[in-house]
Structure formats: C-alpha cells, structure tokens
Amino acid sequence: MADRLFLIDGSAFAYRSFFAIRNSLTNTHGQPTNAVYGFTRVLMKILREHNPSHIAVVFDAPGKTFRHDLYAEYKATRQRMPEELVCQLPLIDAVVDAFNIPLVRVSGVEADDVIGTLAKRAVADGMEAVVVTGDKDALQLVQKGITVFDPNKGDNGLWYGTEEVRERFGVPPEHVIDFLAVMGDASDNVPGVKGIGEKTARVLMEKYGSLEGLYEHLDELKGKQRENLEADRETAFFSRKLVTIDTDVPLEVCTDHCVRREFDRVKAAAIFTELEFQTLLQDFLPEPQTVEETDYRLVLTMKELEAVIKEMKAAGRFALDTETTSVDPMRATLVGISLSSRPGTGYYIPVGHAPEAMVHEIERPDDLFGGGEAVRGLGLEAVLDKLRPLLEDPKFGKVGQNIKYDLIVLERAGVKVAGIQLDTMVASYLTDPSRLRHNLDEICLHYLKRKTIPISEVIGKGSKSVTFDQVPIDRACAYACEDADVTGRLAEVFEPLLREKGLEPLFREVELPLIGVLARMEMIGVAIDAEVFESLQGELAQRIKALEAEIYERAGERFQINSPKQLQEILFNKLGLKPVRKTKTGFSTDVDVLEELALEHPLPQSILEYRGLDKLRSTYVEALPKLVHPETGRIHTSFNQAVAATGRLSSSDPNLQNIPIRTDIGRRIRAGFVPGGKDCKLISADYSQIELRIMAHLSGDRHLREAFEQDSDVHRATAARVFGVRPEEVTPDMRRQAKGVNFGVIYGMSAFGLAKELKISRADAARFIEEYFKQYPGVNEWLNDTLRRAKDDGYVTTLLKRRRYVADLNSRDMNVRRGAERIAVNTPVQGSAADIIKLAMIRLDKALEGTGARLLLQVHDELLLEGPADTAERAAETTRQIMENAIKLDVRLKVDVGVGDNWAAIH
C-alpha cells in the first residue's frame, strides 16, 4: 500500500467537538475542556484505526483571508467564536505537539486551502492523501489519490471517493464548486442564487452538469426559478470563486515534514493530567510510573489464611474487595476475596472458581507463609468461618471502593461486615462531585497516576466475555489484589483531602453511616402486586393502539411514530408547521418543541401522550414484573450515592424515583407497590415544601418565614403579596403563578423560563419576578450574596458544608453563565434537602431496630417504609418525629405521613 498522508481539518473538529460535547465539561479548576477532549478523541481514533504513515493537522490562521478581500461580507454572519472555545485552542495545540504531529497555520488563506495544496503535493509525490473533515466544501478535492473521510459519520466513518461525491451532489467532484455556487452557503455567507436550496441545486446539476451548462440552457427553465437565476448570474459565478479551494498556496511545509513520529509520552501525560482526561491518560503514562514491585499472593491453604488474618489484625485496618459473578449484588455469587493492609501487597482468597480455573502458574515456595501444602483451594464456608471474626469485628477498620456492594454480597453469604472506615468512591465523590465518574480505574489514574488492570482484560469483552469464576486464579489474583492494594492507597490520599476541604464531618456523620442503611434497603427490596401490572399492561396496550389510530388520522397517513426523521417529514413538510429548533439531524421533535407545536395543531399533543404512555409501559408496567427476584419475590433497586452533584441519591436498575405521581397512570403504577407480607402496611413520609423552608432559613427573609411560622399556604401568601390582594381573594391561577415563581427562584429561573413554565409573556414574567423580590427582599439579597461568594470561592456549600464546584460563572457566553448561576443558587437549597433526608434515614434506620418496620425506598423528599399493621401508626409517628427534627432550622420542618395498603393509597 502506498504511503498515506492524513490531513486533519483541525478548525472543523475543534468547532464540532465544542458544540457536540456538553460545554459543562471542565477540569476541577474550571477550565473548559470539551473541545480539547473531542478533538483528541478524533485524533487518537485516526491514529489507532488507520495508522497513517504521514499526518498533519491544519488550522485556520487568525485574521482575514484573500476571500475577505474579494467579498467584505464573507463569513460576516458567523457568530464570534465562543470564549470557552478560544481558551481551548492553545490546549489543542499542546495536544498536537505532544503527539509529535506537524501543526500548520498560514496567514491569508483558510485551512481548506492549505489542506488542498498539501493533498495535491502528496499525490505528486506518489502518495495517497486523506482529507479528514466534515466540511462539504472539501469534497471538491476528491480525485485519483485523494479521498475525504468524515470519522463522525456512522459507526466506521464515511469515505468519499468520486462515486460517493456524485451520489451526494449529483455531480463529480470537479463540479462540486458549481453545485455550491448555485446553492450558496449560509454558514460562510456565500450568496448563491436566491430561492435555490440543496434539492433544487442537485436537480439542476444532474441535468446540466456545470454552472456554464446551466446558464447555456436557461431558456429551458420557467417562472421564478429562471428569473432568479437570470438576476443572480453574476452572483453565481462570483460565489463559485469564493467556494473554490486554492490548491497552490506557497507552503514551507512539505510531505516529508509530515512523517508519522512517536508520541512524546511525557508531554501527553502532563497535559492529560492537567485536563483530567483520566481515560485518555491510561495510554500515555510513562512506563516507570506503571511498573513497580508488588507482592500479590494467592491464599490456598488454611495455614496461609490464618497468617493473612493475623497480618490484617496486626495492621488494625485493611482494604477489602470481593470478586463475584454479577454486577448485581443481589444476584451475584461470591468467587473470591482480596485483602491488603500495606501498599504494594495483597492477598487473594479464591472461594468459588470453577475447577478448571484453579490451575495456576504462580510460584509458591514452601516458606511463603512458614510452610504449607499446595492444595486446590479452600471451600467457601471454611473461608467465611475463619474470616467472620475479623470482618464482623468493628475494631478492625475496613476500607473499600463502593463497599456497599461488598457488604451486600458478604451478608448474603452470611457475614455482616462491621467497622467501615472509608469508601474511596464516596470520598472521591465528596471531594469532587462534578467529576463524571468515580470508578476505581479513573480515580486511581487521577490521584495515584497509576494504570490498573481493566476488567475487560480479565473476563473479556462482549459475547466472548466470561464470568469471574471462569478466570484462572493467577490472573484473578493479580487483578483482585491490585484492586485491594490501590483502594488502600487511595484511602491514605482521601483522608487528608477530606479534612483539608472541611468535609470530614459530612463524610463521617452522614455519608459513611448511610452506606449501611442503603445496603439494608437494597437487600430488603419492595414488593409488587403482579395482577395490578398485568391489568395495566392490557389497558395501556389498548390506549396506545387507539392513540396510534388517532395519530395516523391526524397525520393523514401511517408512519413510524418513533422515527424522528419520519415525524419531521409529517410535521414540517406535510403539515407545514413552523420548525422551532434545528439539530444536526434536522428539526427537533423533542418534548419542548412538541408542546409548543401543540398550540397550533392536535397531532403533536397526541404524539406527546403516545410517547408518555409508551415510556411508562416499557419502563415500568412491562419491565418491573420481570425484575422480581426469584429468591426474595421482591424488586431490588440500587441507590447511587456518588452520582448527583447536589448530593441527592439516585436510583437505578430499576429507577424507582421517576414514577410520575400527578398522572392517573403514574398513581396506578404506584398502586402496584404493596406490603411484602400479611398483616403489613406501607408507610409514607414526605417532607412538605422542604426546599422553600430551607430557602426561608438561608435567606432569613421575614415575610417568607412568617408564612411558614403561621402554617399558611405559602403559595397563596406569595400570590397575595405579589398581586396585592387579601389571601382569600387569591384565585387558583394567581396561586399557580405564585407557586411557579416560588420554586422558580430556588432553581434560578429567568423571566424567559418562568414565562415558558406559566405560559405567560416574558414581560409579565419579568414584572412578576421583580415584584416577588420587592416582597421578599431577603431572598434577593441571599441570591446575590450566594453568587458573589461562588465567584470568589469557585464553589457553593450546603448547610452541612457539602461542596459543589461551579465553573463558568464568569463565562462570556450568556447561556453558559446563566446555567452556572442556576447551579450556584440551587445547590445550597437542593443539596441541603439531600443532606437532611440522609440524616433522617440514618437515625430512622436505628430507631426502627426491633420494631418490625423498615425502610424500603427513598424518592426525592419522601421515604417509604413497611411495617406490621398493628404498629404502623406508631412507626409513622416515629418517622415523622425523626424527619422533622433531623436538623435544627429557623423554620420548622413539616412532614406529611400516611399508612396504606399500597403506595398510591397513602397519598
């Protein structure tokens, strides 16, 4: 194969990455990193999958080009490059430099011109050139020896040769400039011919072949199209000049300069460390950082196990990890246990490997533990009997990574672990809640600068993967011991970090004891009534079928309702509804858009109802009965302690926190959740307006506090103040608007957002907010103070000193800045609510011991319990007392409690 020169359109991929990846992606110092991350991923994908012999990255140079000299309005309609992208360009340059790839910028021309020139030179030098870009203008370069590749199209990217160009535009590459000249280009402000878009341009080019051919046969066209072409003849030929890539740019760079070279791994590791690209960093850590002496040992005899236990007791604290057959702890079988009390050491005790996996090649000298015969391993019960006194004794400290999982696995095996001193996942989350992931591989890379063995190397990937019991024990030993070893090392990192950030009390008093509470809740699970779900399935199937018929009738034809592309065709082309927002794949048909379109036509409302019912059917009505555990007969969700940046718990597998409560179907789904035994009841306890009460406490606003002290309807009280009427004169609509602004303030809602929420004009919303702040000046003052402190400190805190770092508070992009401001004002309120209910759960879990009542679920501000019917009211009152007194505020907390035979019947 001939040498291939890959020419990367750096400007195009920097822009594309910036807008494709959420712009809240930053490092802990607030530096935006989304464009650098996306660009780097593209670059690495090219290098890894295509292994080019030659490569260069080309960027637009700052300043005007020769096209601006030709046409002063060239690119005049483009918005100024966002500041959050501008500040990332030097970082992208640094990545390219670390990869030892030539970076080319030439003043007075665009990146396309440089790329075109280098591509032509490569062909002249007997090479093949690959232009890597998503820009359609580059397709004019395609010829023998030059192809265009868009790596972001499809699973494997999209390659353009001559036939692919002809298929896209209807003309060969040499006439792409004619196509573009007729159509124009709004993004570059190339005028083209008025009234001619891509479809028409294609038809004309397929028929006439070129711009000259089109104008030679102008008399064959009729009407407005001919008039426009005649009127814009000069503009069309001028537009062709603007879109034509100059392939004869004077360049100092030649193809010899573009020979592929090895990465500078030290530079790459340094910049990825700075940007906190933990996944990318794995491939670039210098070798000395990944190689060290470790002492990882298999434990295969009882004598060896006794020696290990003695060592753990002598240390007083150790890291604990389990290996199992499933990521679901309620369905996992224990395969092995690893322990580590000192850096660089670890012991693996296999207890459930398949016989064929017990073969190992690890040397086991006789004096390893003072002697011991080589046997096939120890049985599960024998190991657990020996380990139980160590694991259940609270005076021996345990640390783990997501140790809740290990607690559940071991308790199901008959061991109740006590003495948990630190969870590295939770500690990582507390110290940096904005981090996307807190898994062991990532935090190990970040804090220890060490690559760990990925699980995929141990069990394989996809259809070729095996369960851990099939892994040979020597490989299992290396993997498991390393997990325990680095977990112990990370514990030493996080303990001082928690103290330094003032987070140790929150960790010790809330997050750490909560682990055991959540483990018990997950093990208990919640019961459902299968008949309720079976009945609902039938009803929903009928309703969805009727909605389908209604949708087809309103659309005037049958189509794939769940196909965005087909829905776009129906709404915007056939029905002629005005598009609201454009996306990369056409015009948006998301919920917000459909709600707006529903004001003009009944079809969007039917689509919304169809989507809602279909989601409830698939997510809950059909799915939940299949998730009933075969042994317990109950559903076991997982509570995620290290996900939401506000501190709130989330629920997954299944998510039981998003069942709607205000719709009829949502209430009927909740009716399917029932007590799990005879003579039992469900108990619900729900904080009443806790976030508004926290706001009253934090702001100290006299009027807001008065409303709660007098046990008034706070929304009615707000409406009375804002509208200047007596409380008894407040109408339902007034109260609705007041409720919207009460909660909107907590979430930093703008006049635009409030107008949309309440379906009122933006001017009315702005006046409403202005009057609200006049009536509640303490709230306005608190909001302003919170933003000032957040800008100074870089973070906000909750009542219990939980931190959330907030980037972009000084962003020049108004939308980005306002998003950051919403986070800054919402987190102290919502995060404090999360802290309070966690405190209540810990105290309630202890208070219910021996009563028969127990916690089942936490859903936002609500706790769901189960208990004996004859003591349910007493348990409900205990719950109310504990929740209302979980923390001392200047405004009394209020909890609504109820007892019932199903979840829906309580409310």
Side-chain angles (χ1 to χ4, degrees), residues 230 558 584:
E230 185 63 64
R558 296 177 68 88
K584 291 187 295 183

Side-chain angles (χ1 to χ4, degrees), residues 44-45 47 145 215 240 281 285 291 386 451 550 591 595 703 728 791 869:
M44 290 184 68
K45 183 177 182 181
L47 295 170
Y215 278 99
R240 184 169 71 176
L281 183 60
L285 283 174
V291 177
K386 280 287 183 183
K451 294 195 308 185
E550 181 180 290
V591 172
E595 285 178 347
H703 294 139
E728 58 271 21
K791 288 177 181 179

Side-chain angles (χ1 to χ4, degrees), residues 18-19 23 79-84 808-820:
F18 179 78
F19 289 105
N23 59 11
Q79 292 185 348
R80 183 179 177 182
M81 183 183 289
E83 185 62 32
E84 287 72 18
D808 301 323
L809 284 170
N810 296 305
S811 172
R812 294 185 185 180
D813 186 315
M814 183 182 67
N815 292 327
V816 172
R817 185 176 66 254
R818 285 183 174 171

Side-chain angles (χ1 to χ4, degrees), residues 538-612:
E539 290 182 36
L540 279 179
Q542 289 182 354
R543 177 60 185 144
I544 289 170
K545 188 175 181 181
L547 270 174
E548 286 177 350
E550 181 180 290
I551 288 167
Y552 296 148
E553 182 180 349
R554 287 177 170 172
E557 63 178 88
R558 296 177 68 88
F559 66 101
Q560 289 291 332
I561 299 172
N562 291 321
S563 165
K565 191 170 183 180
Q566 292 188 32
L567 183 56
Q568 288 170 27
E569 179 68 27
I570 294 291
L571 292 176
F572 307 123
N573 292 340
K574 182 172 182 179
L575 299 181
L577 298 178
K578 186 178 179 181
V580 176
R581 186 170 63 254
K582 192 169 185 179
T583 69
K584 291 187 295 183
T585 56
F587 294 111
S588 174
T589 58
D590 66 12
V591 172
D592 291 340
V593 168
L594 291 179
E595 285 178 347
E596 192 167 331
L597 294 176
L599 301 175
E600 304 175 34
H601 195 281
L603 176 60
Q605 184 57 47
S606 298
I607 298 288
L608 284 169
E609 188 177 352
Y610 172 89
R611 284 183 181 176

